[in-house]
Amino acid sequence: MPDESIKREIAELRERIRYHEHKYYVENKPEISDFEFDKLLERLKSLESQHPEFITADSPTQRIYDGTLEGFREVAHKVAMLSLDNSYNFADLAEFDERVARTLGLSGEEIEYVAELKIDGVGIALLYENGLLVRGATRGNGTVGDDITHSVRTIRSVPLRLRGGASQIPPLIEVRGEAFISLKEFERINREREEAGLDVFANPRNSTAGTLRLLNVREVATRRLDTFIYTLSYCEGLHPASQWEALDLMRSWGLKVNPASRLCRGLSQVRAYCDEWDRKRHELDYATDGVVVKVNRLDYQKRLGQTSKHPKWAIAFKFPAEQATTKVLSIDVQVGRTGAVTPVATFAPVHLSGTTVKRASLHNADEIGRKDIRVGDTVVLEKAGEIIPQVVSVIKSERTGDERPFQMPEHCPVCGSRLVRPEGEVVVRCVNSSCPAVLKESIRHFASRAGFDIDGLGPALIEMLVDRGIVKNYADLFRLRKEELASLPRMGEKSADNLVAAIERSKKVPFNRFIYALGIRHVGAFAARALAANFSSIEGLIAAAQERCVPPQTELGVLTESDKPAPGGPRPVEGTSDMFEAIDGIGAIVGASVAQYFCLPSNVNVIEDLLDAGVEIIYPEKKIAPDEALLGKRFVLTGTLKSMRRDEVKAKIESLGGRVTSSVTGQTDYVVVGESPGSKLDKARRLGVSILGEAEFLELIKSRK
Ligand code: IVH
């Protein structure tokens, strides 16, 4: 293809992708499937990789900076980022309204306000130069914030290029808004963190702030941040007359503006809005902590001015923090996948922020001691970030003397083995790796969506399978027979059939999900992806870990029978983490945990068992480990390459230890495809042989001697 037509195709693809990104991420009205969208993006990526000279910073492929930042630069805001004065009741609001009217000389008249939801996230400022996103910053202290351009670029609702031609877009624009994490995403992140043994975020705002501060941009991208933009803070040449017009203008540029904003005539309409959203906010998929009331006309805003901290033309109406009181009926302990033993309180059911609360984690014995929570106590509950119920305090005046303090058990309530509190940790653990509670939770993790994704294998069924001794390890899942399942209570023929089919389907599992499913401590979905991207096979990963196995410093009692050294045989081992730490996206704790995991023979057995039971790991196509890439591999060439003659290609492959053969068979490793390929390409597709385009082939040989 001549360069001009490639350039045109690239431009068209970018337009289409931007259009669909807007439909999906801003308007929430997708017009095409994810699959079709991914196809467009893949096509663009492939054209750009062949023609890097056409890559531009605003291309939809360029959202993710490929690397780790050193830190954040500080940036001075063009206009100070103020905060808002708060009000907690309608009397405060009425006072605000009167003050506004008085200052404007409009006492007794109805002022026009814009009422907006107050999004509970992190304030950000975005700078667009000639329609291109050039900078993203946090609020910081209001005058100076952190440069978070790389993080902001990963947010799919933030356009890298504004919509509209040069005539509609002023040369320099700054907008402000809120970056946030949806409640669903917040739960997903916390679930993954919990499963990986990391601290969970207390609320979505903390998780947003924590995410924006990550130096690894690829990890930021996995967190799926979102935005609402609500202020046009700087705009050269265009002067909307009101906040309402500014919202419209920003919407027309493709920025995500909250659809719940409302133009209100007078205070009574503002009140109605506050009442309405205090009720309806629980239906939203993001956290709001109030309503922001803004004088609509911008000339009025200017006349009203500001204090050193707040504008005088706006006020935040905070929704009352919802609390409830209830009685603690019991405190039990739960054993998690990592063996962590967590005290959980059961309450007399009580309604709080849209749901009925019956149970809440009390975290650990220290926390219970600090708050002095006893069985029989009346406690005040609040939802942290409107989501996770927490005990705020005990109403001690309600005590009768019959309350019973909580005592952490010394033995695991499930398997009876002695609990251990590792030095320096607040968590108490059951370290018996065959404890049924640990097994059940491990299987739940194994079968979860981010793991083997086995449809229909829920907690109740897992419980039954483990309790009846039918499933004693992961591999047993793949040996389940239909008849066996159908004979279980509440399991019909049909569900047994479906489950067997789902298990069968799950056997083909992508490498990253396989790693995730193993439940290695500290390895969540992100670390699993990083490992999968850096090793060509599970065998390679195990070998890499085992090369670095060293005798353990301490034995924590986590070794199982099969790990115990045979008399006179080799000692059990631990891994050093240095090589894992070198992987982008893997830190010291994760690295050590991975090394340790693969150095335990029983864990390697688990993997061998799975492969024996028919699990097939799907490795990412064309992902080639250095040095292993060409050695002994069989290549078939079809079509003409632009950059090399056929005899040169052959010589190159052979010089790197590969072989070139003439026909495609099941033994062929790669088919290299140039222009006008022949039937060999079809055959390669039929046989599922890896196909390399010219660019991919050049990439493969480039880094090698
Ligand atoms: S306007 C001059 N509108 O609330 C103040 N702020 O407590 C301009 N916030 O720092 C802010 N939703 O981060 C505005 N619809 C909204 C908002 C909003 C959330 C945040 C913002 C601000 C904080 C003030």
Side-chain angles (χ1 to χ4, degrees):
M1 245 197 289
D3 276 8
E4 267 317 304
S5 65
I6 290 169
K7 212 168 160 179
R8 200 165 342 108
E9 186 181 349
I10 288 180
E12 282 167 11
L13 275 167
R14 286 182 187 156
E15 268 315 300
R16 283 175 68 191
I17 292 168
R18 277 190 200 115
Y19 173 83
H20 291 297
E21 269 187 336
H22 180 81
K23 282 280 160 207
Y24 188 98
Y25 294 102
V26 177
E27 291 188 359
N28 230 336
K29 288 183 205 139
E31 288 180 356
I32 59 173
S33 68
D34 291 3
F35 176 72
E36 285 169 294
F37 181 83
D38 288 346
K39 261 193 347 207
L40 293 176
L41 203 60
E42 278 310 313
R43 172 75 186 148
L44 178 59
K45 272 190 199 152
S46 133
L47 286 179
E48 286 181 346
S49 81
Q50 289 165 39
H51 294 274
E53 69 276 18
F54 295 149
I55 298 180
T56 53
D58 65 332
S59 170
T61 59
Q62 303 300 304
R63 284 199 174 269
I64 304 174
Y65 169 79
D66 198 16
T68 301
L69 310 176
E70 304 266 295
F72 298 101
R73 243 175 3 109
E74 289 195 331
V75 286
H77 294 300
K78 260 187 131 12
V79 183
M81 278 179 94
L82 302 179
S83 70
L84 291 167
D85 204 2
N86 290 326
S87 64
Y88 296 92
N89 50 51
F90 289 140
D92 290 349
L93 267 191
E95 220 173 84
F96 165 76
D97 179 51
E98 269 163 35
R99 206 168 44 239
V100 166
R102 203 176 335 112
T103 316
L104 294 173
L106 298 170
S107 288
E109 288 186 38
E110 282 192 328
I111 309 285
E112 210 170 50
Y113 293 106
V114 175
E116 300 171 8
L117 293 180
K118 187 168 186 304
I119 314 298
D120 200 9
V122 172
I124 55 167
L126 306 176
L127 197 63
Y128 284 91
E129 249 173 46
N130 299 318
L132 294 183
L133 176 68
V134 293
R135 196 177 83 185
T138 59
R139 174 170 180 271
N141 64 8
T143 312
V144 176
D146 281 334
D147 184 329
I148 50 160
T149 309
H150 287 301
S151 305
V152 158
R153 287 177 64 92
T154 69
I155 308 178
R156 305 295 279 266
S157 60
V158 170
L160 298 179
R161 167 193 282 278
L162 295 178
R163 290 157 80 99
S167 59
Q168 290 142 293
I169 300 188
L172 192 62
I173 297 168
E174 194 205 57
V175 296
R176 291 180 181 172
E178 208 78 357
F180 66 95
I181 279 177
S182 73
L183 302 187
K184 210 157 92 216
E185 183 65 6
F186 168 72
E187 279 165 23
R188 182 187 72 86
I189 294 171
N190 266 358
R191 201 166 47 240
E192 285 186 15
R193 289 179 73 85
E194 203 163 355
E195 282 165 355
L198 302 171
D199 286 342
V200 295
F201 289 114
N203 54 48
R205 180 163 23 90
N206 288 2
S207 66
T208 307
T211 299
L212 287 174
R213 294 208 58 82
L214 288 172
L215 293 172
N216 186 319
V217 178
R218 260 181 290 149
E219 187 165 359
V220 178
T222 66
R223 299 263 182 98
R224 291 177 223 148
L225 289 157
D226 203 345
T227 52
F228 280 123
I229 301 300
Y230 43 69
T231 303
L232 180 58
S233 43
Y234 186 86
C235 180
E236 257 172 33
L238 251 182
H239 301 287
S242 66
Q243 166 69 0
W244 194 246
E245 274 182 41
L247 290 178
D248 259 350
L249 199 55
M250 294 191 291
R251 200 178 274 125
S252 77
W253 290 333
L255 294 158
K256 187 164 177 177
V257 173
N258 193 308
S261 305
R262 186 180 298 165
L263 188 60
C264 298
R265 286 214 127 266
L267 192 65
S268 56
Q269 291 189 0
V270 170
R271 269 197 216 172
Y273 183 89
C274 294
D275 273 340
E276 183 180 327
W277 282 103
D278 189 13
R279 268 184 290 113
K280 290 205 307 197
R281 65 181 155 135
H282 305 300
E283 295 164 17
L284 296 169
D285 187 31
Y286 47 86
T288 57
D289 58 345
V291 168
V292 184
V293 183
K294 303 175 181 175
V295 170
N296 186 33
R297 278 176 54 163
L298 298 186
D299 57 338
Y300 284 177
Q301 289 190 2
K302 209 163 170 192
R303 272 169 59 194
L304 287 157
Q306 59 191 54
T307 69
S308 62
K309 290 195 196 117
H310 319 123
K312 294 186 189 167
W313 44 264
I315 194 161
F317 173 80
K318 297 290 269 263
F319 293 133
E322 286 188 67
Q323 291 192 335
T325 58
T326 186
K327 250 193 156 65
V328 179
L329 302 180
S330 60
I331 301 178
D332 307 296
V333 293
Q334 254 178 13
V335 187
R337 180 173 65 80
T338 58
V341 176
T342 315
V344 178
T346 303
F347 310 113
V350 62
H351 198 75
L352 179 61
S353 307
T355 60
T356 304
V357 179
K358 292 185 208 131
R359 286 160 72 74
S361 168
L362 301 180
H363 307 294
N364 53 61
D366 290 5
E367 180 83 1
I368 297 179
R370 207 168 22 249
K371 291 183 180 157
D372 189 17
I373 304 168
R374 303 179 187 182
V375 176
D377 265 340
T378 302
V379 291
V380 179
L381 296 182
E382 207 177 270
K383 279 200 180 171
E386 313 284 332
I387 297 168
I388 305 169
Q390 305 271 10
V391 173
V392 186
S393 59
V394 172
I395 307 181
K396 299 219 169 111
S397 57
E398 300 265 325
R399 280 193 177 156
T400 61
D402 291 338
E403 293 74 18
R404 278 170 292 119
F406 169 75
Q407 192 81 52
M408 198 66 170
E410 290 185 358
H411 293 94
C412 172
V414 180
C415 71
S417 60
R418 213 180 162 72
L419 297 177
V420 175
R421 181 169 175 170
E423 227 181 276
E425 287 192 26
V426 286
V427 179
V428 172
R429 287 180 198 282
C430 171
V431 292
N432 170 12
S433 63
S434 44
C435 169
V438 174
L439 182 59
K440 283 173 198 169
E441 283 304 302
S442 303
I443 290 181
R444 202 181 54 70
H445 175 87
F446 182 86
S448 68
R449 288 228 357 225
F452 271 68
D453 193 14
I454 306 178
D455 237 6
L457 188 63
L461 187 57
I462 293 174
E463 173 121 15
M464 208 152 33
L465 292 170
V466 172
D467 287 346
R468 289 168 185 241
I470 301 173
V471 170
K472 296 196 193 67
N473 52 48
Y474 300 145
D476 282 348
L477 292 173
F478 300 101
R479 293 189 270 261
L480 286 172
R481 283 171 304 108
K482 191 184 123 188
E483 302 74 45
E484 199 171 17
L485 286 169
S487 68
L488 294 171
R490 296 185 302 280
M491 246 325 218
E493 288 267 323
K494 183 102 187 80
S495 359
D497 251 351
N498 288 345
L499 183 58
V500 169
I503 292 175
E504 192 55 36
R505 268 197 310 275
S506 78
K507 276 185 180 169
K508 280 193 171 63
V509 62
F511 191 23
N512 60 317
R513 287 184 16 213
F514 180 86
I515 298 172
Y516 173 86
L518 294 174
I520 304 167
R521 262 189 93 189
H522 302 299
V523 177
F526 180 77
R529 261 195 300 275
L531 289 169
N534 277 276
F535 289 92
S536 56
S537 65
I538 187 71
E539 290 79 12
L541 177 52
I542 296 171
Q546 292 191 340
E547 253 173 46
R548 288 165 165 77
C549 291
V550 291
Q553 303 301 306
T554 52
E555 280 187 37
L556 288 172
V558 287
L559 304 182
T560 62
E561 268 315 305
S562 56
D563 297 322
K564 300 232 171 84
R571 285 185 50 72
V573 282
E574 278 190 351
T576 58
S577 60
D578 50 347
M579 77 151 319
F580 295 111
E581 268 177 65
I583 297 173
D584 200 13
I586 304 278
I589 295 173
V590 180
S593 176
V594 172
Q596 208 168 34
Y597 180 91
F598 289 110
C599 284
L600 275 181
S602 63
N603 289 334
V604 177
N605 288 344
V606 166
I607 292 166
E608 281 168 0
D609 235 19
L610 283 170
L611 299 178
D612 280 350
V615 167
E616 190 188 328
I617 304 174
I618 310 296
Y619 295 103
E621 251 180 73
K622 301 161 205 150
K623 207 189 65 51
I624 297 127
D627 306 322
E628 281 178 32
L630 272 73
L631 199 63
K633 296 282 191 271
R634 295 181 195 207
F635 287 75
V636 171
L637 314 178
T638 177
T640 338
L641 298 193
K642 272 192 294 193
S643 57
M644 285 169 98
R645 286 195 321 269
R646 185 172 277 250
D647 55 340
E648 288 177 314
V649 176
K650 189 163 183 282
K652 185 76 193 171
I653 291 173
E654 284 169 356
S655 76
L656 294 168
R659 283 169 54 192
V660 177
T661 58
S662 55
S663 55
V664 181
T665 69
Q667 309 286 308
T668 310
D669 294 294
Y670 299 111
V671 171
V672 181
V673 180
E675 265 190 36
S676 320
S679 61
K680 290 176 190 171
L681 175 57
D682 298 331
K683 189 154 182 207
R685 288 203 175 115
R686 266 203 314 280
L687 293 176
V689 175
S690 294
I691 296 166
L692 299 178
E694 178 163 1
E696 288 146 346
F697 173 69
L698 295 179
E699 188 63 40
L700 172 68
I701 58 174
K702 190 175 71 185
S703 53
R704 288 156 239 286
K705 290 164 275 192

